[in-house]
Amino acid sequence: MRVLMFGWEFPPHISGGLGTACYGLVKGLAHHNQEIIFVVPKLWGDEEPLADFVNASDVTLDYREKKFKSIWKNLTYLEVSSFLVPYLGPEEYQKFTDYAIHDRTDVDESIFTSKYAFSGKYGKNLMEEVSRYALTAAQIARDRDDFDIIHAHDWLSFPAGIAAKEISGKPLVAHVHATEFDRSGESVNPPVFEIEKAGMEAADHVLAVSHLTKNTIVKKYGIPAEKVSVLHNAVLDASIIKSKYQKKVPEKIVTFLGRITFQKGPEYFVEAAKKVIERDPNVRFVMAGSGDLLNRMIDRVAELNIASKFHFTGFLKGDDVDHMYAISDVYVMPSVSEPFGISPLEAVRHNTPTIISKQSGVAEVLVNAIKIDFWDIDAMADAIFALLHYRSIAEMFKELGSQELKRLKWEHVAEKLVVAYEKTLSERS
């Protein structure tokens, strides 16, 4: 089978879990001898050659064709006033965006040049690039008809998937890694919501990264349940990492690693830290990441008078992330709404006992972790205290967690994906 796949990023140039998931799926599909044409807005040249990559910035577009004009006329874009990353909380979204929907006739003529140099990032022209990416997708689908099915990852690529389907007539699979409700709670951004809804409605089949996400798709977007299947994420490498990196402090370390936004529940982590420190002052808490709630969390830590035991590292990447997992005695992911959440699996790879919220997709597949409601700071504090002070419990989770990783591989996920492809193709025929 040959798959035309649209993404927005691919390792090593990524801003979050979406690129990592795309990499894992492509690698898993290659394991099952599936051929992938992977399209991204911009290639950097150092991507691992796992697929037949297409750089959208190199595609020549003849927008004068009637079909292309029809596609463009139906596209809108959101004017973004400043830097934008893919998963923003409501406050960050309000800060960075201008909800001005522009008529297509007002767009600068440069959009219609024969080639368009995509930034490949999440900058101020993001929605403009999403629209242009859709036109480029139509051109690619017309020029390369040697594929069987289209696969589009998340809202950034949904317009591209729709355009490719309109041109080629091939079936579309829409892969939902996160919804606007996950990113923003109930304060959803209407244009993004509409793009997501249009993508799911146009798709022949919808993939959700968890049952939690499927439930949101059915209830909030009105997509029939039978049209949606669940495809959990996995880990790139199931082996346990034995790091030589040693912590430099005598106290136990408890870590939160992720975006400091509403979705990730950082405030609950801070409140639980206060309760643990009251019982045992020989514990240090680390909040690694950045986001719109960072300053509020710093202020709250000061108000609780635990600043001497609480550390903010800022955004971590590469080896620094591995080092953070390695020196942590407990990892906590208290997400309010997490479509999946791959970081607990990475913590398990580093032999770090893990606490996760019940409101996360990863809770559906990670059996050997302590699961609490994100809002229950007493239960969170008790779980942290138990893992720090009862060695046998911590060791049990380490041992069982390492065994559990072996069944959470991308090739297993890809096998299920191939079945979903085949089912979609058979229903279309």
Side-chain angles (χ1 to χ4, degrees):
M1 191 183 307
R2 196 159 171 81
V3 184
L4 177 60
M5 190 174 288
F6 294 97
W8 198 260
E9 57 182 26
F10 199 85
H13 303 279
I14 60 174
S15 296
L18 178 59
T20 302
C22 288
Y23 176 85
L25 275 178
V26 169
K27 197 167 186 177
L29 287 168
H31 181 83
H32 292 284
N33 300 314
Q34 305 298 307
E35 296 181 55
I36 310 298
I37 305 168
F38 197 96
V39 186
V40 286
K42 182 180 178 66
L43 283 177
W44 302 88
D46 54 355
E47 292 83 4
E48 189 176 337
L50 294 172
D52 179 2
F53 283 103
V54 177
N55 185 355
S57 296
D58 287 342
V59 175
T60 300
L61 177 67
D62 183 1
Y63 70 90
R64 292 168 298 181
E65 290 191 21
K66 287 184 178 180
K67 190 70 174 176
F68 284 62
K69 285 187 174 181
S70 174
I71 292 171
W72 182 256
K73 186 177 180 180
N74 293 325
L75 291 169
T76 57
Y77 75 92
L78 180 69
E79 183 178 276
V80 181
S81 60
S82 187
F83 178 75
L84 182 65
V85 293
Y87 308 122
L88 294 179
E91 289 187 9
E92 217 168 356
Y93 213 99
Q94 290 285 350
K95 177 181 177 183
F96 287 129
T97 59
D98 167 17
Y99 301 114
I101 302 299
H102 292 255
D103 187 272
R104 296 267 50 90
T105 58
D106 296 335
V107 180
D108 189 279
E109 188 67 21
S110 64
I111 298 300
F112 296 114
T113 54
S114 61
K115 284 188 179 180
Y116 183 84
F118 291 92
S119 68
K121 297 186 180 297
Y122 303 91
K124 64 180 182 179
N125 296 322
L126 176 63
M127 292 305 244
E128 181 181 303
E129 290 199 1
V130 167
S131 295
R132 174 64 194 220
Y133 191 41
L135 275 187
T136 306
Q139 184 75 52
I140 293 168
R142 194 200 68 171
D143 293 345
R144 303 188 63 157
D145 59 357
D146 57 339
F147 59 91
D148 304 294
I149 196 166
I150 304 159
H151 186 151
H153 292 279
D154 254 7
W155 70 272
L156 294 162
S157 299
F158 284 177
I162 294 171
K165 178 180 177 178
E166 287 185 10
I167 288 291
S168 68
K170 304 290 177 67
L172 168 64
V173 173
H175 199 149
V176 182
H177 296 263
T179 71
E180 182 64 6
F181 290 92
D182 296 308
R183 292 182 289 268
S184 304
E186 292 300 319
S187 304
V188 298
N189 176 43
V192 175
F193 170 82
E194 291 300 330
I195 290 174
E196 290 178 327
K197 193 171 190 295
M200 295 180 213
E201 289 176 343
D204 297 86
H205 193 73
V206 178
L207 297 171
V209 292
S210 63
H211 291 284
L212 186 75
T213 302
K214 177 177 179 177
N215 188 53
T216 300
I217 290 169
V218 173
K219 289 187 174 181
K220 300 290 189 180
Y221 294 83
I223 306 301
E226 59 272 17
K227 186 178 176 179
V228 187
S229 62
V230 174
L231 197 71
H232 291 111
N233 287 337
V235 288
L236 294 173
D237 187 345
S239 61
I240 295 299
I241 297 172
K242 296 181 180 179
S243 175
K244 295 180 181 179
Y245 194 81
Q246 300 293 321
K247 63 182 177 182
K248 305 296 193 298
V249 295
E251 297 98 332
K252 296 292 180 69
I253 295 177
V254 181
T255 298
F256 169 109
L257 195 155
R259 287 174 291 109
I260 306 176
T261 61
F262 158 81
Q263 179 191 353
K264 299 295 183 178
E267 60 268 46
Y268 303 103
F269 181 76
V270 171
E271 300 300 327
K274 171 65 174 177
K275 291 181 175 292
V276 172
I277 291 170
E278 286 176 344
R279 296 168 69 178
D280 181 2
N282 295 313
V283 182
R284 290 182 183 267
F285 286 78
V286 175
M287 184 166 282
S290 60
D292 61 299
L293 294 185
L294 176 58
N295 290 337
R296 186 186 298 182
M297 294 304 99
I298 293 173
D299 290 343
R300 184 56 179 158
V301 164
E303 289 173 3
L304 294 173
N305 198 29
I306 57 174
S308 63
K309 294 293 182 181
F310 207 106
H311 307 270
F312 295 90
T313 69
F315 180 74
L316 299 181
K317 61 181 180 179
D319 290 342
D320 290 336
V321 174
D322 289 331
H323 292 164
M324 195 67 250
Y325 283 128
I327 65 175
S328 299
D329 295 280
V330 175
Y331 177 74
V332 184
M333 190 187 77
S335 296
V336 174
S337 178
E338 187 72 56
F340 189 78
I342 208 164
S343 60
L345 300 182
E346 293 300 323
V348 171
R349 287 193 65 213
H350 287 81
N351 249 338
T352 305
T354 303
I355 300 168
I356 56 179
S357 73
K358 295 177 182 177
Q359 292 74 25
S360 64
V362 72
E364 299 170 12
V365 298
L366 189 58
V367 176
N368 295 293
I370 296 179
K371 301 168 188 178
I372 48 92
D373 289 303
F374 70 87
W375 45 262
D376 195 342
I377 57 174
D378 289 317
M380 193 184 306
D382 288 343
I384 292 170
F385 188 87
L387 288 173
L388 292 177
H389 291 85
Y390 300 104
R391 186 173 179 178
S392 59
I393 296 176
E395 290 301 320
M396 176 190 71
F397 279 112
K398 287 182 181 180
E399 181 179 348
L400 294 176
S402 63
Q403 296 175 11
E404 195 167 12
L405 284 180
K406 295 175 183 177
R407 64 178 179 81
L408 300 175
K409 295 181 178 180
W410 279 111
E411 51 259 44
H412 299 155
V413 178
E415 185 176 5
K416 295 177 182 178
L417 178 56
V418 172
V419 172
Y421 285 158
E422 291 172 344
K423 182 174 182 289
T424 302
L425 286 167
S426 65
E427 289 174 349
R428 275 293 296 271
S429 61

